Amino acid sequence: WKLVASGFDRPLDIQNAGDGSGRLFVVEQAGRIRILQNDALLEAPFLDISGRVDSGGNEQGLLGLAFHPDFESNGFFYVNYTEAGGNTVIARFTASGNNADPTSELRLLEVNQPFPNHNGGGLAFGPDGYLYIALGDGGSGGDPQGNGQNLNTLLGKILRINVNGGDPYAVPSDNPFGSEVFHYGLRNPWRFSFDSLTGDLWIGDVGQEQWEEIDFLPAGTSG
């Protein structure tokens, strides 16, 4: 094995921007995104919003990152974080070069979190160009509020939104429930990924005590 870089503070995600630059972007839980370029860690962070992020709990912090499919031309990227007080924020920022403007934040969603765990955190653009957002069931243990099966809450779900329509986004007309909700019945979908070759969706849903769950949805599966 080869050590590529070190010196990170609680790294939990790594993404590329799809812009041909070869840069890798490492998400630190405390609220920073760092850049790896040519196997070197740049000293200046790409984004630092640590003053807005509540990372006091093991499952809170800056949790997810996704770059707009047209990032190379528009500079847009999206983050999933828990703010002071513990609620989830899905926000867009704008970048130029190796620097993102922390004052460019556009909040798309704010979701109340009743407990400090099960925040989910994953973000990804699907093959359809829509932004998918993973939210846990709100926390505690055993889903005491029944959020995973409740279609009237965004908790315990994977959401699907159109960031290119509406203000600040639009709900796709083919979402199955007339809301942002696309998949439901989840506990804590900490990470998910679209297969780059097939478009299949894989969801890593954190289990309770002994078991973890992996959900597989073939490409073209409706919500």
Side-chain angles (χ1 to χ4, degrees), residues 33 48 54 64 73-74 85 97 108 116 130-132 165 167 171 184 211 219 223:
I33 300 174
D48 186 348
D54 186 342
S73 59
N74 62 26
L108 279 66
Y130 294 138
L131 179 63
Y132 290 72
D167 184 17
V171 173
Y184 74 101
W211 298 95

Side-chain angles (χ1 to χ4, degrees), residues 12 94 116 124 127 148-149:
L12 49 72
T94 304
Q149 298 293 330

Side-chain angles (χ1 to χ4, degrees), residues 148-167:
Q149 298 293 330
N150 181 359
L151 291 173
N152 294 316
T153 177
L154 302 183
L155 297 171
K157 314 293 190 296
I158 286 184
L159 313 181
R160 177 182 184 247
I161 63 174
N162 179 5
V163 299
N164 296 319
D167 184 17

Side-chain angles (χ1 to χ4, degrees), residues 52 81 83 89-92 105-110 168:
R52 306 172 207 178
Y81 71 90
E83 64 178 344
V89 174
I90 309 299
R92 187 191 80 192
E105 181 177 18
L106 173 67
R107 292 189 171 204
L108 279 66
L109 270 175
E110 299 174 19

Side-chain angles (χ1 to χ4, degrees), residues 38 100 102 141 154 192 204:
N38 299 323
L154 302 183
F192 67 94

